[in-house]
Amino acid sequence: MKWIVGLGNPGTQYEDTRHNVGFMALDLLAERWNVKTWQSKFKGLVGEANVSGSKVVLIKPMTYMNLSGESLRAFMDFHKADLLDLLVIYDDLDTELGKIRLRYQGSPGGHNGIKSIIQHTGTQVFNRIRIGISRPAPGKNIADYVLSNFGKSEAEGLQQSLQQTVLAAEDFLMEPFEKTMAKYNK
């Protein structure tokens, strides 16, 4: 079983914000894989799909970003899930809008959702897709920026990065992550 976690914040007020691109990516995957039902469990919303004969679980933590690790830990403990089968999708200030970066380990880089996952799993080693949201203009508050909606001029870049994320997530299911990284980290 593979499991894909998209990070974001619950509630309609956060729905279209930069910090919720992980949820946006999971929604696209759910649509593509015909996931019709999301169940509330493991402190999140959980959907299941069958992709090319393999079970894939999609998880949106409903704990708010800074507590995302609680949802992962609850799922891991119940299913005895392996971190090698995990893919986490989240926003990244240091990656340009319209781009994605894949990594299999590393520090949280100031991202509170990743910090929580590392705290609750005890490791920095897990597969990740970082969706670029670019940095705000100098002097702009980071928290306000990540909780702001994308502008109309950013729509094309957002869609480009989300589509790349969907394709990379599908490749993650079929091939070693190192190969997927080499394909998308350009």
Side-chain angles (χ1 to χ4, degrees):
M1 169 188 68
K2 300 279 188 174
W3 49 308
I4 302 175
V5 177
L7 300 187
N9 285 310
T12 55
Q13 70 270 34
Y14 300 110
E15 205 167 87
D16 297 319
T17 65
R18 299 168 198 283
H19 227 13
N20 272 38
V21 294
F23 281 8
M24 293 176 201
L26 253 60
D27 288 341
L28 289 174
L29 289 168
E31 183 179 319
R32 189 169 173 110
W33 297 338
N34 204 27
V35 174
K36 300 278 190 227
T37 306
W38 291 89
Q39 296 181 329
S40 181
K41 52 185 177 179
F42 308 115
K43 297 185 179 186
L45 293 177
V46 178
E48 294 183 9
N50 188 307
V51 182
S52 299
S54 297
K55 180 179 177 179
V56 181
V57 178
L58 304 177
I59 304 171
K60 294 181 190 179
M62 292 286 118
T63 54
Y64 289 95
M65 186 66 76
N66 62 340
L67 301 175
S68 297
E70 292 179 5
S71 179
L72 270 78
R73 183 84 250 171
F75 181 84
M76 280 178 65
D77 289 348
F78 185 83
H79 286 284
K80 306 295 183 241
D82 193 327
L83 286 174
L84 295 174
D85 296 321
L86 168 65
L87 176 65
V88 178
I89 303 173
Y90 64 101
D91 61 291
D92 183 44
L93 289 164
D94 293 321
T95 302
E96 181 184 329
L97 180 66
K99 306 274 187 198
I100 63 172
R101 296 290 297 165
L102 282 66
R103 297 182 70 184
Y104 63 89
Q105 68 178 3
S107 72
H111 195 286
N112 289 331
I114 297 301
K115 195 178 295 182
S116 176
I117 291 171
I118 291 169
Q119 176 188 354
H120 283 87
T121 61
T123 185
Q124 294 184 7
V125 181
F126 51 89
N127 305 314
R128 314 158 191 213
I129 298 178
R130 303 180 322 185
I131 300 176
I133 61 169
S134 298
R135 284 208 167 263
K140 189 162 184 178
N141 181 287
I142 297 285
D144 291 342
Y145 176 74
V146 299
L147 295 176
S148 68
N149 291 349
F150 289 95
K152 289 182 183 176
S153 64
E154 298 171 305
E156 185 178 325
L158 173 62
Q159 289 310 310
Q160 181 179 333
S161 59
L162 287 172
Q163 290 305 318
Q164 288 177 350
T165 300
V166 165
L167 295 174
E170 287 188 336
D171 287 349
F172 159 75
L173 301 178
M174 306 301 168
E175 61 191 25
F177 194 66
E178 291 78 13
K179 187 174 179 181
T180 304
M181 284 175 55
K183 184 175 180 180
Y184 291 94
N185 285 343
K186 297 178 182 177

